[in-house]
Amino acid sequence: MLTIFFYKFILRAMKSEKSKKFFSRVGFYGLLLFFALLRAVASYVFIVPNAFAPGGVGGIASIVYNVVNLYDHKLAEGVFNPAVTIFVLNLPLVIASFFTLNKQFAINTTVVVLGYSGFMALFSALKLPVFQGSGMESSLTIISALAGGVITGVALGGSLLTNSSAGGTDILGKIANKKKPELNTSWFIFLFDSIVVLLSGIVGLLSAKGMDANTTFVKIASPIFYSFITLF
């Protein structure tokens, strides 16, 4: 009897206007966290382990982690963990968005950024398995680039539909567009992302010390090539 009464009470509560709005908001922010989860899966499982850097703050975090990891694995997993870097680099951008952009966009983006970095930290703590190729022609490397790009693309599309972003260049682009509407912010974002992609070659350069010219070229070109695939 108590169980039936409880369910009836819940159903009545859900039918009220306030409850409908509440559950609608809960569902909406749950969706934002789902898109953040997709971003985190793409980054943790496919992008970072292969030293890809498909632009934005996530790309910078991947470069920093992989460069530090060449010299000190513990430091890379700690202070320079991608989850930490993503949060730290996005923090000033998110704060700036509250003062310069639409408040709802800023709130939505805050939820995604916190979810993104939070899920990355959780995956790292749980030591979830990753897809890591052994070289440029490795099937795992190719699959990782494609899978990382597709999953990130789905998350990006979801963000656009929900007036949110994962931070980084999306916020910079919106701020630039508001200050100077005549600027083509899409090209601005593409240029910044392309610079990050090219910088991914640093990881290959540092890991190719003492190797011959051909091997060094492959080491440098591989992360750049696959980062562009993931970006698009």
Side-chain angles (χ1 to χ4, degrees):
M1 288 295 292
L2 286 174
T3 305
I4 295 172
F5 175 79
F6 175 74
Y7 280 122
K8 284 184 177 179
F9 175 78
I10 293 295
L11 288 171
R12 285 176 185 173
M14 290 178 67
K15 288 179 181 178
S16 68
E17 285 300 316
K18 287 185 179 179
S19 295
K20 285 180 180 178
K21 287 182 180 180
F22 172 77
F23 286 110
S24 175
R25 298 309 292 175
V26 169
F28 177 74
Y29 288 116
L31 189 61
L32 293 182
L33 288 175
F34 173 69
F35 294 138
L37 174 63
L38 289 181
R39 282 263 187 176
V41 168
S43 296
Y44 182 86
V45 178
F46 302 108
I47 293 172
V48 175
N50 293 285
F52 301 154
V57 167
I60 295 173
S62 177
I63 293 172
V64 171
Y65 170 82
N66 282 287
V67 168
V68 175
N69 194 45
L70 291 173
Y71 303 98
D72 192 327
H73 179 69
K74 286 186 177 180
L75 192 62
E77 289 292 336
V79 178
F80 294 99
N81 188 294
V84 177
T85 308
I86 289 168
F87 176 77
V88 170
L89 292 181
N90 269 315
L91 185 60
L93 296 175
V94 169
I95 292 173
S97 70
F98 274 95
F99 292 98
T100 56
L101 301 174
N102 178 273
K103 291 294 185 294
Q104 192 58 56
F105 170 81
I107 293 170
N108 295 348
T109 297
T110 301
V111 172
V112 175
V113 169
L114 290 175
Y116 182 17
S117 57
F119 283 127
M120 288 286 286
L122 178 63
F123 295 162
S124 181
L126 295 175
K127 304 292 182 187
L128 293 187
V130 299
F131 275 78
Q132 186 172 18
S134 57
M136 189 171 184
E137 296 179 357
S138 167
S139 58
L140 275 179
T141 305
I142 298 171
I143 291 171
S144 294
L146 294 174
V150 169
I151 296 173
T152 300
V154 172
L156 176 61
S159 295
L160 292 174
L161 291 173
T162 53
N163 188 31
S164 65
S165 78
T169 49
D170 292 339
I171 295 177
L172 288 175
K174 280 186 173 290
I175 292 174
N177 182 254
K178 186 172 182 179
K179 298 292 182 182
K180 290 186 177 292
E182 69 275 9
L183 288 177
N184 190 326
T185 53
S186 297
W187 281 107
F188 169 78
I189 294 172
F190 174 74
L191 177 63
F192 184 86
D193 286 344
S194 296
I195 291 172
V196 174
V197 167
L198 292 173
L199 288 175
S200 67
I202 293 174
V203 180
L205 178 64
L206 293 175
S207 64
K209 283 185 177 180
M211 297 181 179
D212 61 82
N214 288 335
T215 304
T216 300
F217 173 77
V218 172
K219 284 278 188 180
I220 295 171
S222 179
I224 295 174
F225 175 72
Y226 284 114
S227 292
F228 267 117
I229 290 177
T230 308
L231 175 63
F232 293 109

Coordinates of all heavy atoms in Angstrom, one line a residue, residues 84-117:
V84 N 43.3 17.9 -15.8 CA 43.8 19.1 -15.1 C 44.0 20.2 -16.1 O 43.5 21.4 -15.9 CB 45.0 18.8 -14.3 CG1 45.5 20.1 -13.6 CG2 44.8 17.7 -13.3
T85 N 44.7 19.9 -17.2 CA 45.0 21.0 -18.2 C 43.8 21.5 -18.8 O 43.6 22.7 -19.0 CB 46.0 20.4 -19.3 OG1 47.1 19.8 -18.7 CG2 46.4 21.5 -20.2
I86 N 42.8 20.6 -19.2 CA 41.6 21.1 -19.8 C 40.8 22.0 -18.9 O 40.3 23.0 -19.3 CB 40.7 19.8 -20.2 CG1 41.3 19.1 -21.4 CG2 39.3 20.3 -20.5 CD1 40.7 17.7 -21.6
F87 N 40.8 21.7 -17.6 CA 40.0 22.5 -16.6 C 40.7 23.8 -16.4 O 40.1 24.9 -16.5 CB 39.9 21.8 -15.3 CG 39.3 22.6 -14.2 CD1 37.9 22.8 -14.2 CD2 40.1 23.2 -13.2 CE1 37.3 23.6 -13.2 CE2 39.5 24.0 -12.2 CZ 38.1 24.2 -12.2
V88 N 42.1 23.8 -16.2 CA 42.8 25.0 -16.0 C 42.8 26.0 -17.1 O 42.6 27.2 -17.0 CB 44.3 24.7 -15.6 CG1 45.1 26.0 -15.5 CG2 44.4 24.0 -14.3
L89 N 42.9 25.5 -18.4 CA 42.9 26.4 -19.5 C 41.5 26.9 -19.9 O 41.4 28.0 -20.4 CB 43.5 25.6 -20.8 CG 45.0 25.2 -20.7 CD1 45.3 24.5 -22.0 CD2 45.8 26.5 -20.5
N90 N 40.5 26.1 -19.5 CA 39.2 26.6 -19.8 C 38.6 27.5 -18.8 O 37.7 28.3 -19.0 CB 38.2 25.4 -19.9 CG 38.1 24.8 -21.3 OD1 37.9 25.6 -22.3 ND2 38.2 23.5 -21.5
L91 N 39.2 27.5 -17.5 CA 38.6 28.3 -16.4 C 38.5 29.8 -16.8 O 37.4 30.4 -16.6 CB 39.5 28.0 -15.2 CG 39.0 28.7 -13.9 CD1 37.5 28.3 -13.6 CD2 39.9 28.4 -12.7
P92 N 39.6 30.4 -17.2 CA 39.5 31.9 -17.5 C 38.6 32.1 -18.7 O 37.9 33.2 -18.7 CB 40.9 32.3 -17.9 CG 41.6 31.0 -18.2 CD 41.0 29.9 -17.4
L93 N 38.5 31.2 -19.6 CA 37.6 31.4 -20.8 C 36.1 31.3 -20.4 O 35.3 32.1 -20.8 CB 37.9 30.3 -21.8 CG 39.3 30.4 -22.5 CD1 39.5 29.2 -23.4 CD2 39.5 31.7 -23.2
V94 N 35.8 30.3 -19.5 CA 34.4 30.2 -19.0 C 34.0 31.4 -18.2 O 32.9 32.0 -18.3 CB 34.3 28.9 -18.1 CG1 33.0 28.9 -17.4 CG2 34.4 27.7 -19.0
I95 N 35.0 31.9 -17.3 CA 34.7 33.1 -16.5 C 34.4 34.3 -17.5 O 33.5 35.1 -17.2 CB 35.9 33.4 -15.6 CG1 35.9 32.3 -14.5 CG2 35.7 34.8 -14.9 CD1 37.2 32.4 -13.6
A96 N 35.3 34.4 -18.5 CA 35.1 35.5 -19.5 C 33.7 35.5 -20.2 O 33.1 36.5 -20.5 CB 36.2 35.5 -20.5
S97 N 33.3 34.2 -20.4 CA 32.0 34.0 -21.2 C 30.8 34.6 -20.3 O 29.8 35.0 -20.9 CB 31.8 32.6 -21.5 OG 31.5 31.8 -20.4
F98 N 30.9 34.5 -19.0 CA 29.8 35.0 -18.2 C 29.7 36.5 -18.3 O 28.6 37.1 -18.1 CB 30.1 34.6 -16.7 CG 29.6 33.3 -16.3 CD1 30.4 32.2 -16.4 CD2 28.2 33.1 -16.0 CE1 29.9 30.9 -16.1 CE2 27.7 31.8 -15.7 CZ 28.6 30.7 -15.7
F99 N 30.8 37.2 -18.6 CA 30.8 38.7 -18.6 C 30.6 39.2 -20.0 O 30.2 40.3 -20.2 CB 32.1 39.2 -18.1 CG 32.3 39.0 -16.6 CD1 33.1 38.0 -16.1 CD2 31.7 39.9 -15.7 CE1 33.3 37.7 -14.8 CE2 31.9 39.7 -14.3 CZ 32.7 38.6 -13.9
T100 N 30.8 38.4 -21.0 CA 30.8 38.9 -22.4 C 29.7 38.2 -23.3 O 29.3 38.8 -24.3 CB 32.2 38.7 -23.1 OG1 32.6 37.4 -23.0 CG2 33.2 39.6 -22.4
L101 N 29.3 37.0 -22.9 CA 28.4 36.3 -23.8 C 27.1 36.0 -23.1 O 26.9 36.4 -21.9 CB 29.0 34.9 -24.2 CG 30.3 35.0 -25.0 CD1 30.9 33.6 -25.2 CD2 30.2 35.8 -26.3
N102 N 26.2 35.4 -23.8 CA 24.9 35.0 -23.3 C 25.0 34.1 -22.0 O 25.8 33.2 -22.0 CB 24.1 34.2 -24.3 CG 22.7 33.7 -23.8 OD1 22.7 32.6 -23.3 ND2 21.7 34.5 -24.1
K103 N 24.3 34.5 -20.9 CA 24.5 33.8 -19.6 C 24.1 32.3 -19.7 O 24.8 31.5 -19.1 CB 23.6 34.5 -18.6 CG 24.1 35.8 -18.2 CD 25.4 35.8 -17.5 CE 25.8 37.2 -16.9 NZ 26.1 38.2 -18.0
Q104 N 23.1 32.0 -20.5 CA 22.7 30.6 -20.6 C 23.8 29.8 -21.3 O 24.0 28.6 -20.9 CB 21.4 30.5 -21.4 CG 20.7 29.1 -21.3 CD 20.5 28.6 -19.9 OE1 19.8 29.3 -19.1 NE2 21.0 27.5 -19.5
F105 N 24.4 30.4 -22.3 CA 25.5 29.7 -23.0 C 26.6 29.4 -22.0 O 27.3 28.4 -22.0 CB 26.0 30.5 -24.2 CG 27.3 30.0 -24.8 CD1 27.3 29.0 -25.7 CD2 28.5 30.6 -24.5 CE1 28.5 28.5 -26.3 CE2 29.7 30.2 -25.0 CZ 29.7 29.1 -25.9
A106 N 26.9 30.5 -21.2 CA 28.0 30.3 -20.3 C 27.7 29.2 -19.2 O 28.6 28.4 -18.9 CB 28.2 31.7 -19.5
I107 N 26.5 29.2 -18.8 CA 26.1 28.1 -17.8 C 26.2 26.7 -18.4 O 26.8 25.8 -17.8 CB 24.7 28.4 -17.3 CG1 24.6 29.7 -16.4 CG2 24.2 27.2 -16.4 CD1 23.3 30.1 -16.0
N108 N 25.7 26.6 -19.6 CA 25.7 25.3 -20.3 C 27.1 24.9 -20.6 O 27.5 23.7 -20.4 CB 24.9 25.4 -21.7 CG 23.5 25.7 -21.5 OD1 22.9 25.6 -20.4 ND2 22.8 26.1 -22.6
T109 N 28.0 25.8 -21.0 CA 29.4 25.5 -21.3 C 30.1 25.1 -20.0 O 30.9 24.2 -20.0 CB 30.1 26.7 -21.9 OG1 29.4 27.0 -23.2 CG2 31.5 26.4 -22.2
T110 N 29.8 25.8 -18.9 CA 30.4 25.4 -17.6 C 30.1 23.9 -17.3 O 31.0 23.2 -16.8 CB 29.9 26.3 -16.5 OG1 30.2 27.7 -16.8 CG2 30.5 25.9 -15.1
V111 N 28.8 23.5 -17.5 CA 28.4 22.2 -17.2 C 29.2 21.2 -18.1 O 29.7 20.1 -17.6 CB 26.9 22.0 -17.4 CG1 26.5 20.5 -17.3 CG2 26.1 22.8 -16.4
V112 N 29.3 21.5 -19.3 CA 30.1 20.6 -20.3 C 31.6 20.5 -19.9 O 32.1 19.4 -19.9 CB 29.9 21.1 -21.7 CG1 30.8 20.2 -22.7 CG2 28.4 21.0 -22.2
V113 N 32.2 21.7 -19.6 CA 33.6 21.7 -19.3 C 33.9 20.9 -18.0 O 34.8 20.1 -17.9 CB 34.1 23.2 -19.1 CG1 35.5 23.2 -18.5 CG2 34.1 23.9 -20.5
L114 N 33.0 21.1 -17.0 CA 33.2 20.4 -15.7 C 33.0 18.9 -15.9 O 33.7 18.1 -15.4 CB 32.2 20.9 -14.7 CG 32.5 22.3 -14.1 CD1 31.4 22.8 -13.2 CD2 33.8 22.4 -13.4
G115 N 32.0 18.6 -16.8 CA 31.8 17.2 -17.1 C 32.9 16.5 -17.9 O 33.4 15.4 -17.6
Y116 N 33.4 17.3 -18.8 CA 34.5 16.8 -19.7 C 35.7 16.5 -18.9 O 36.3 15.4 -18.9 CB 34.7 17.9 -20.7 CG 35.8 17.7 -21.8 CD1 36.3 16.4 -22.0 CD2 36.4 18.7 -22.5 CE1 37.2 16.1 -23.0 CE2 37.3 18.5 -23.5 CZ 37.8 17.2 -23.7 OH 38.7 17.0 -24.7
S117 N 36.2 17.5 -18.1 CA 37.4 17.3 -17.3 C 37.1 16.3 -16.2 O 38.0 15.5 -15.8 CB 37.9 18.6 -16.7 OG 36.8 19.3 -15.9

